[in-house]
Amino acid sequence: MIEAAAFVIAFFFAMNIGASGTAAAMGPAYGSGAIKRKRVAMLLVGACAWLGALAGGEVVRTIGEGILPPTVMQMEVVVIVLAAACFTLFFANLIGIPLSTSEVVVGSLVGAGLAYQALYWQYLLVIVSFWIVIPFAAFFLAFGAGKMIKKYQAHLPFLRGDGKWHKPLTFILIACGCLEAFSAGMNNVANAVGPLVGVGALDVTTAVIAGGFFVALGALLLGGKVLETNGKHITNLSLLQGSTVSFTGGALVIIASIFGLPVPLTQITTAAIVGIGTAENGFVLWQKSVIRRIIKVWIVSPLFALAVSYSLILLFRSQDYYTLVVIVSVFIATVGAISLYRSVRQDKEQTMRDGEGI
C-alpha cells in the first residue's frame, strides 16, 4: 500500500510540475501572440518536455541520491516528502503562480533530513547557491539583450516582426519556447521521480519515461492558468523579446541539467521576462502586484514545504504511519480530481473565446 501511494503521489506531482514548470516555458510565445490558442501552446510544451525528460537522468540521480543518505531514503519517507512537495505545488497552481518545483522538492527533502539529522550539506549548499546565481544571470542577460533589441528595433523596424519578417520571427520564438520546454523536462521530471529512484522503486530509465509522460499530461490539463500569468500578466513581449527570454532560460537550464543540478526553471524564466520588461519600460514594471506576489511565494514555498515535510516525518515517527499515508493519499486524490475538473472546464471556456488559428 505504501509503495502504491508513493507512485500515485509521484505521478500526480509530475502532472503539477507540468502545469507549473513546463507550461511557463511557452509563456513568451503565448504572451507575444506567436501562438494564439492556449491549447496549442500546451500541446507543444507537453511533447517537448517529454523528450527533454529522456535526457534528464543526471538530475534524477541528484534528487534521489545526492541530498539524503540511503539510510534515510525509505519508502515511507519518500511518500511524505512527495506529499509535502505536491501539496505546496498544488496550492500554487490553484492561485496561478509559477512556482519552482526544484525549490519545493528540495525543501521537502531537507525537512526530512532535518527530522532524521542526516543531510549531505555540502552538495545542498551548491544547489542553493545556483538557485540564487542563475536567476540573476537570466535577469542581467535578458536585460542586456533587451537594451540591444530596443536600440536596434528603433533603427530596423523589421525586427519588430512587421510585414514579411513576421513569420520567420514567429518561428524563431516558437522554436525557442520548445527549447525551454525541453529543458524543463530535462531538469524538472527528476523532482517527481527522483525519490522513487533513490529508494530503489524505479531505475533511472523507467523513471524518466514514466515521469516525462505525466509531466506532459500535466502541461496539457493543468497548465492554462500559469501560462496566462507568465505570458500576459507580467509584461507584453515582442517576438524578438520573447525569443530572447525562452532561449536564455532554456540554455541556462540545459547547462545546469548536464551537471545534474536541479534549478528553478520558472524562477529563471520569470527573471528573464522581468529583465526584458525592465529594459523596455524601466523599473516601473516592479510596481506590478503580480511580481511582488510571485517573489513572496518563491521565498515562502521552500520553507513551507520544509515545515510540512518535517512535521509529517515527526508524526510518522511517533504514530501509526499507515493511517498517515492513507489520509495523505485520500487528500491528494480528492484535490487532484477537483483540480483536473476545474482546469478542463476553464480551458474549454478559454478555447471557445480564443477562436480558431495559431
Side-chain angles (χ1 to χ4, degrees):
M1 184 181 67
I2 294 175
E3 186 170 346
F7 276 91
V8 170
I9 295 173
F11 292 144
F12 178 67
F13 185 32
M15 292 179 65
N16 277 273
I17 287 173
S20 181
T22 61
M26 203 59 71
Y30 177 68
S32 65
I35 298 178
K36 294 181 174 60
R37 295 184 63 183
K38 189 184 299 184
R39 178 64 63 183
V40 174
M42 291 189 291
L43 181 62
L44 285 174
V45 165
C48 294
W50 195 359
L51 292 175
L54 302 181
E58 289 301 318
V59 188
V60 170
R61 292 184 182 92
T62 297
I63 293 293
E65 304 167 0
I67 297 174
L68 293 181
T71 54
V72 176
M73 288 294 285
Q74 303 171 9
M75 187 59 72
E76 294 88 351
V77 174
V78 167
V79 170
I80 292 174
V81 165
L82 289 173
C86 188
F87 174 78
T88 304
L89 183 62
F90 173 75
F91 179 76
N93 284 340
L94 282 182
I95 61 177
I97 292 295
L99 188 64
S100 166
T101 58
S102 297
E103 290 184 353
V104 168
V105 106
V106 172
S108 297
L109 288 169
V110 171
L114 291 176
Y116 282 97
Q117 298 183 356
L119 275 172
Y120 292 142
W121 284 103
Q122 184 175 1
Y123 199 66
L124 177 63
L125 292 176
V126 172
I127 293 173
V128 173
S129 67
F130 273 85
W131 289 356
I132 299 171
V133 170
I134 294 185
F136 273 101
F139 173 85
F140 287 111
L141 287 172
F143 180 80
K147 286 293 186 182
M148 293 179 62
I149 291 171
K150 185 177 181 180
K151 176 181 177 181
Y152 286 111
Q153 279 184 341
H155 299 88
L156 303 171
F158 70 87
L159 292 178
R160 292 194 292 267
D162 299 331
K164 66 179 182 179
W165 287 95
H166 180 76
K167 286 187 176 180
L169 290 175
T170 298
F171 176 80
I172 292 172
L173 175 58
I174 295 173
C176 289
C178 289
L179 172 71
E180 189 172 9
F182 178 91
S183 74
M186 188 176 180
N187 197 273
N188 284 352
V189 71
N191 297 322
V193 298
L196 296 178
V197 173
V199 81
L202 289 176
D203 61 84
V204 173
T205 302
T206 304
V208 295
I209 293 174
F213 171 78
F214 282 97
V215 166
L217 188 62
L220 288 170
L221 297 180
L222 303 174
K225 196 170 184 180
V226 180
L227 184 68
E228 190 78 21
T229 297
N230 249 39
K232 294 190 175 180
H233 291 178
I234 297 178
T235 186
N236 294 322
L237 300 172
S238 69
L239 297 175
L240 198 55
Q241 288 172 332
S243 300
T244 301
V245 167
S246 293
F247 181 80
T248 300
L252 289 172
V253 172
I254 288 174
I255 292 171
S257 301
I258 292 172
F259 291 98
L261 293 168
V263 292
L265 169 66
T266 49
Q267 193 168 338
I268 293 167
T269 302
T270 307
I273 292 175
V274 173
I276 283 284
T278 303
E280 181 71 21
N281 303 310
F283 285 92
V284 67
L285 175 67
W286 291 80
Q287 298 175 9
K288 286 197 172 184
S289 60
V290 67
I291 290 186
R292 294 194 296 271
R293 189 157 56 110
I294 288 172
I295 291 174
K296 289 177 182 178
V297 173
W298 280 345
I299 294 173
V300 171
S301 59
L303 299 178
F304 180 77
L306 186 155
V308 171
S309 177
Y310 180 82
S311 302
L312 290 177
I313 290 290
L314 293 183
L315 182 62
F316 155 71
R317 295 177 67 179
S318 61
Q319 297 189 15
D320 181 6
Y321 62 84
Y322 285 100
T323 302
L324 175 64
V325 169
V326 170
I327 293 173
V328 171
S329 300
V330 170
F331 173 79
I332 294 294
T334 302
V335 296
I338 295 173
S339 173
L340 287 172
Y341 171 75
R342 291 179 60 184
S343 297
V344 171
R345 185 180 64 181
Q346 290 173 359
D347 288 345
K348 285 182 178 179
E349 293 173 353
Q350 183 63 42
T351 299
M352 294 177 63
R353 289 193 295 267
D354 290 342
E356 298 296 328
I358 183 172

